[in-house]
């Protein structure tokens, strides 16, 4: 009975992650129309729901570790929720945003690469025993946060010129392929609070806070770019 209760808590949080991702998908179709509380547009509500999903994703893992409530079902449920919240939702966000900005149809449909590579990323993660304490490839929540920041940057200017067209056409496959590449990336989970063991994590946290303060929502994309860069530096320092 106790085991059922302890497994129920993280699984419930995972379901909240999934529900947030579904709401983000729905909000993405509302586009620039006010569709949420506090006068939020559909795009802004989609950002909020994806961030909320990321919070639930963090706490379901935290609860599972705290309660020792690991289970095969929980692992599979977590992957399914992550695919919707951090693969399908940002893919639909970019698809609808690019369509609204008047991008060529082929650029809009490039957004479908995001959930496809997200699915490959999660399937690979579930069977890859090398990723217990670190990552191989960009974690799918980081992918979603990047597209929140990038879509905010596109919306800020509201003009889809040739620069933004080709930058978007390059970034969508490039960032998506980072999820399935063989680039080792450090985990942001702390096992202790010693500087020597966590200098990259502390550095990443400081950089992310500074970028968010300076650039607001756009800073999420820059923070993910910084995470990729710091991971490359970390790999080079270990060789």
């Amino acid at each position: 009975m106790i085991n059922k209760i302890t497994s129920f808590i993280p699984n419930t949080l995972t379901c909240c992650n999934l529900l947030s991702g579904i709401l983000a998908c729905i909000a993405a179709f509302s586009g620039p129309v006010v569709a949420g509380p506090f006068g939020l547009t559909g795009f802004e509500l989609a950002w909020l729901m994806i961030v909320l999903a990321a919070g639930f994703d963090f706490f379901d893992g935290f609860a599972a570790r705290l309660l020792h409530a690991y289970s095969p079902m929980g692992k599979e449920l977590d992957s399914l929720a992550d695919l919707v919240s951090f693969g399908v939702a940002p893919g639909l966000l970019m698809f609808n945003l690019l369509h609204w900005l008047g991008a060529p149809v082929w650029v809009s449909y490039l957004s479908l690469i995001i959930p496809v590579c997200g699915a490959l990323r999660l399937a690979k993660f579930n069977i890859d025993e090398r990723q217990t304490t670190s990552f191989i490839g960009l974690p799918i929540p980081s992918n979603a946060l990047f597209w929140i920041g990038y879509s905010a940057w596109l919306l800020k200017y509201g003009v889809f010129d040739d620069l933004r067209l080709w930058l978007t056409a390059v970034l969508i496959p490039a960032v998506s392929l980072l999820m399935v590449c063989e680039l080792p990336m450090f985990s942001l989970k702390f096992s202790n609070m010693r500087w020597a063991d966590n200098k990259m994590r502390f550095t990443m946290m400081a950089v992310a806070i500074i970028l968010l303060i300076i650039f607001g929502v756009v800073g999420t994309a820059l923070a993910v770019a910084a995470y990729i860069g710091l991971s490359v530096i970390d790999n080079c320092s270990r060789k």
Side-chain angles (χ1 to χ4, degrees), residues 8-233:
F8 174 80
I9 294 173
N11 287 347
T12 299
L13 292 170
T14 303
C15 288
C16 290
N17 168 7
L18 176 58
L19 180 60
S20 299
I22 295 170
L23 291 172
C25 293
I26 295 171
F29 282 96
S30 296
V33 177
V34 174
F38 309 110
L40 295 177
T41 66
F43 292 138
E44 292 168 337
L45 185 59
W47 300 342
L48 179 61
M49 289 297 103
I50 292 173
V51 171
L52 187 62
F56 285 123
D57 184 52
F58 171 81
F59 283 110
D60 70 1
F62 179 79
R65 290 189 296 273
L66 183 66
L67 300 171
H68 303 288
Y70 299 102
S71 70
M73 176 184 170
K75 182 178 180 181
E76 296 303 321
L77 181 62
D78 186 68
S79 292
L80 292 170
D82 285 357
L83 177 58
V84 173
S85 298
F86 311 128
V88 178
L92 291 178
L93 169 65
M94 288 300 299
F95 179 87
N96 286 286
L97 173 62
L98 292 171
H99 178 73
W100 179 73
L101 287 173
V105 173
W106 66 270
V107 179
S108 297
Y109 276 93
L110 275 179
S111 303
L112 301 184
I113 297 174
I114 298 171
V116 170
C117 286
L120 292 171
R121 157 73 195 173
L122 291 166
K124 180 181 177 182
F125 178 81
N126 284 347
I127 62 173
D128 193 343
E129 296 180 355
R130 298 173 298 169
Q131 301 191 56
T132 54
T133 58
S134 61
F135 300 115
I136 305 295
L138 183 69
I140 192 170
S142 299
N143 161 77
L145 292 175
F146 178 86
W147 294 116
I148 288 175
Y150 186 72
S151 63
W153 179 71
L154 291 177
L155 272 174
K156 182 177 180 180
Y157 293 95
V159 177
F160 201 74
D161 53 18
D162 286 344
L163 171 63
R164 289 171 180 79
L165 188 155
W166 291 109
L167 180 62
T168 302
V170 169
L171 280 177
I172 288 176
V175 175
S176 298
L177 289 173
L178 276 174
M179 287 191 284
V180 294
C181 74
E182 288 293 306
L183 174 66
M185 305 191 74
F186 62 89
S187 170
L188 295 175
K189 295 176 182 176
F190 288 80
S191 57
N192 59 65
M193 300 304 291
R194 291 193 294 269
W195 167 257
D197 297 330
N198 299 289
K199 55 186 176 182
M200 279 298 175
R201 296 178 181 88
F202 283 124
T203 302
M204 182 63 237
M205 288 179 62
V207 169
I209 291 170
I210 292 170
L211 290 172
L212 289 172
I213 291 173
I214 295 174
F215 298 102
V217 178
V218 177
T220 58
L222 299 174
V224 173
Y227 173 51
I228 296 168
L230 286 172
S231 293
V232 172
I233 293 172

Side-chain angles (χ1 to χ4, degrees), residues 1-11 63-64 67-69:
M1 182 66 180
I2 294 176
N3 289 336
K4 289 183 179 180
I5 294 174
T6 55
S7 64
F8 174 80
I9 294 173
N11 287 347
L67 300 171
H68 303 288

